[in-house]
């Protein structure tokens, strides 16, 4: 569901941070600090508006008040979680709520903030979270690239199975095992000679021939 959602959304429909706070004054202060920190930010004051934004745009982080106007307890966070929207949630309440804190462990809540909400401190935590998410997304993209590389090599090897056997290999599976092994070793050394990108096809073949 999440992949389909992301494919349907362009970069123009992306909001880095959605702040959902009933207190308009506090919300504006938080929005200002977040924008000054270099992040895009949208502000809403009730659960209905938050659901609308979350449905229409990709949101990387949600700052959500516990018991936001139009919702009860963690209702909005559970709604977003059930739809696999993928936003990191910063939960906020003036008074600590043990029941909510325990339940939040099962949800994508990365921080539970209580007491007086400091807009500057919040923006700094959001920046750190965006950096973490960026690193994770780059890792996922790299994993996908490796998977595509393996699939392409297997397809090419199958098309040239006759030549492979003439080269002295027992069968196609033996070559595929060697390819997988080479890619696995590269994968375990992300800072290899190629600076985090897959080696060129010519290099892979040279390594294979010398294996």
């Amino acid at each position: 569901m999440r992949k389909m959602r992301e494919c349907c959304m362009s970069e123009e429909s992306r909001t880095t941070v959605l702040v959902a706070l009933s207190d308009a004054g506090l919300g504006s202060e938080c929005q200002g600090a977040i924008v000054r920190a270099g992040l895009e930010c949208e502000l809403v004051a009730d659960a209905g508006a938050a659901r609308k934004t979350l449905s229409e745009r990709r949101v990387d982080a949600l700052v959500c008040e516990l018991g936001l106007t139009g919702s009860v307890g963690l209702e909005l966070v559970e709604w977003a979680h059930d739809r696999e929207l993928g936003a990191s949630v910063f939960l906020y309440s003036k008074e600590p709520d043990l029941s909510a804190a325990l339940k939040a462990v099962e949800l994508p809540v990365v921080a539970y903030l209580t007491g007086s909400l400091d807009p500057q401190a919040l923006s700094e935590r959001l920046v750190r979270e965006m950096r973490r998410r960026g690193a994770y997304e780059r890792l996922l993209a790299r994993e996908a690239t490796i998977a595509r590389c393996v699939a392409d090599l297997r397809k090419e090897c199958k098309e040239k199975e006759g030549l492979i056997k003439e080269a002295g290999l027992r069968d196609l599976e033996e070559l595929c095992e060697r390819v997988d092994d080479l890619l696995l070793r590269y994968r375990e050394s992300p800072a290899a000679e190629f600076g985090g990108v897959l080696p060129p096809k010519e290099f892979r073949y040279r390594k294979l021939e010398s294996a």
Side-chain angles (χ1 to χ4, degrees):
M1 183 188 297
R2 183 181 171 190
K3 287 182 180 178
M4 185 180 298
R5 171 186 167 83
E6 290 180 355
C7 287
C8 296
M9 293 186 174
S10 66
E11 284 301 312
E12 287 73 22
S13 65
R14 179 171 184 164
T15 295
T16 305
V17 182
L18 175 62
V19 174
L21 296 174
S22 302
D23 184 332
L26 178 59
S28 294
E29 289 181 26
C30 290
Q31 183 182 35
I34 292 166
V35 170
R36 286 193 296 275
L39 302 177
E40 294 179 12
C41 180
E42 185 170 337
L43 175 63
V44 296
D46 61 75
R51 288 192 185 94
K52 185 175 186 299
T53 298
L54 288 165
S55 298
E56 296 175 350
R57 304 171 69 85
R58 173 176 170 177
V59 174
D60 292 326
L62 169 64
V63 179
C64 179
E65 181 182 348
L66 182 65
L68 178 69
T69 302
S71 70
V72 178
L74 289 163
E75 204 171 63
L76 178 61
V77 180
E78 292 171 330
W79 179 88
H81 178 59
D82 289 344
R83 285 158 182 75
E84 299 181 2
L85 301 185
S88 300
V89 178
F90 288 72
L91 189 64
Y92 165 70
S93 65
K94 289 183 179 178
E95 300 295 331
D97 185 317
L98 179 58
S99 175
L102 291 173
K103 198 168 185 180
V105 173
E106 302 172 4
L107 299 167
V109 175
V110 298
Y112 180 23
L113 313 172
T114 60
S116 298
L117 187 59
D118 181 344
Q120 182 60 35
L122 173 64
S123 68
E124 291 170 1
R125 295 189 70 162
L126 283 164
V127 168
R128 289 196 296 271
E129 175 63 12
M130 292 306 100
R131 287 175 180 162
R132 185 198 66 80
R133 284 180 65 97
Y136 180 62
E137 288 177 359
R138 286 193 296 275
L139 176 62
L140 290 181
R142 189 164 171 271
E143 293 291 304
T145 300
I146 290 173
R148 285 196 301 272
C149 182
V150 171
D152 289 346
L153 282 170
R154 283 180 174 273
K155 181 180 178 183
E156 189 172 344
C157 289
K158 189 167 183 61
E159 292 170 353
K160 298 178 179 178
E161 189 167 1
L163 294 175
I164 291 165
K165 288 181 178 178
E166 287 177 17
L169 296 169
R170 288 193 299 274
D171 54 30
L172 176 62
E173 280 306 309
E174 181 181 348
L175 178 60
C176 288
E177 286 173 10
R178 291 195 188 184
V179 169
D180 287 345
D181 179 61
L182 285 170
L183 286 172
L184 179 61
R185 274 186 275 153
Y186 171 77
R187 190 171 161 187
E188 290 171 348
S189 305
E193 316 167 41
F194 304 98
V197 298
L198 284 171
K201 189 177 291 186
E202 308 79 56
F203 173 84
R204 292 198 300 267
Y205 286 137
R206 286 204 302 275
K207 292 287 284 186
L208 191 61
E209 287 165 4
S210 63

